[in-house]
Amino acid sequence: MEISATLDSMFNMESKIVIFESNKLDGKMSKNPKFYNKEVSEKERYERFHKDRLNLGKKLGIDGNHIFRSRQKGLSKVNYPDGKYILIDDSYMTKEDYFYEDLPADILVISSKYPKVAIANPMADCPVLICEDRRKGYTALSHCGAVYIDRKLPIDTIKALFDSCNSDVEDIYVYIGSSIKKESYVYDSYPKWAKSKEVWDNYILKEENNYYIDLVGAILKQLKDIGIKHIQVSPINTVTDPNYYSHVEEVKGKQTDGGQNLVGFYYK
């Protein structure tokens, strides 16, 4: 699904990027064995995942091999300082398939110097943040799960633009991708990962015996606190929209054919 036209109509500075979100119709977008039958070999999983990305690229009008993603700590066996970003340039374009460039970081940034080279991240409930400096022509992307929001990754994503191209907050336009919404994200106890009272005050609310978690609200507060004014939030709830993969629905056993949604952007 391409949504950049909606962004252009809402804001008064023209966007130079195309934002996209894959869903179940585009394939599993993962090589994780948990999403495949046991008889499917590792080689075949890699081939199917590669084919899904090539087909997505064809639909978008880009090369499906030219999609970068980061290796985020907590989701892979890497370690780095919180908020680390990588500014993509030619030195990272060494493999035929950019998806397998080793990029241990929270945030990837790319400039308009590289049209049709995509930055993306797989997700299955957690929002992906895309922050475009429309004047300077730089865009940053981060995957903002609850643990990362807790350590203020949304703010670090904006700081990556400050550092990369000396952005002015007035020129930054943010898209918060499709994700689980607060009415669907429910714990029966206060979550252990919620370490920062500042971050979660008013965004983890107890009602009767349940705790409702508002990831999007917590992100919005961080962005607004540092002066970001141009923000669009996808209305899609990945838990209730049948076209999207959802980790919560998978855990509940309501989604047997699992996978991930690939959310990202590229310069026109």
Side-chain angles (χ1 to χ4, degrees), residues 104-122:
D106 281 327
I107 305 151
L108 296 184
V109 184
I110 197 167
S111 77
S112 56
K113 179 181 176 182
Y114 301 99
K116 295 194 173 185
V117 174
I119 305 292
N121 209 288

Side-chain angles (χ1 to χ4, degrees), residues 28-185:
K28 294 180 180 295
M29 291 299 164
S30 176
K31 62 184 185 302
N32 193 316
K34 73 177 183 178
F35 299 138
Y36 295 85
N37 294 327
K38 292 181 179 179
E39 62 270 17
V40 179
S41 68
E42 181 180 25
K43 181 175 182 291
E44 188 174 356
R45 284 189 281 109
Y46 273 71
E47 288 174 349
R48 290 188 190 181
F49 181 32
H50 186 224
K51 184 178 179 181
D52 286 343
R53 283 187 287 112
L54 290 178
N55 287 338
L56 177 64
K58 185 176 182 181
K59 185 168 83 170
L60 295 171
I62 65 174
D63 185 342
N65 284 316
H66 293 174
I67 301 174
F68 286 100
R69 68 160 295 181
S70 68
R71 279 210 300 148
Q72 197 172 21
K73 67 180 178 181
L75 298 175
S76 56
K77 295 179 180 180
V78 293
N79 195 21
Y80 50 77
D82 288 354
K84 178 187 174 185
Y85 76 91
I86 293 175
L87 178 59
I88 297 296
D89 59 23
D90 297 274
S91 66
Y92 295 101
M93 301 178 189
T94 62
K95 299 186 188 318
E96 180 181 353
D97 187 351
Y98 295 172
F99 211 80
Y100 295 113
E101 288 283 351
D102 189 23
L103 302 171
D106 281 327
I107 305 151
L108 296 184
V109 184
I110 197 167
S111 77
S112 56
K113 179 181 176 182
Y114 301 99
K116 295 194 173 185
V117 174
I119 305 292
N121 209 288
M123 52 73 68
D125 281 330
C126 298
V128 169
L129 198 62
I130 298 173
C131 307
E132 180 190 8
D133 183 327
R134 293 189 176 179
R135 191 175 303 279
K136 296 287 182 63
Y138 283 72
T139 302
L141 178 146
S142 62
H143 168 262
C144 291
V147 173
Y148 307 105
I149 296 169
D150 187 77
R151 60 174 172 83
K152 299 185 177 179
L153 180 53
I155 292 175
D156 283 335
T157 307
I158 301 300
K159 286 181 177 178
L161 287 177
F162 293 162
D163 194 50
S164 295
C165 64
N166 196 28
S167 287
D168 186 312
V169 290
E170 296 290 337
D171 300 329
I172 298 174
Y173 292 72
V174 174
Y175 172 71
I176 302 173
S178 301
S179 65
I180 188 171
K181 306 305 187 209
K182 60 184 177 181
E183 64 271 17
S184 301
Y185 201 6

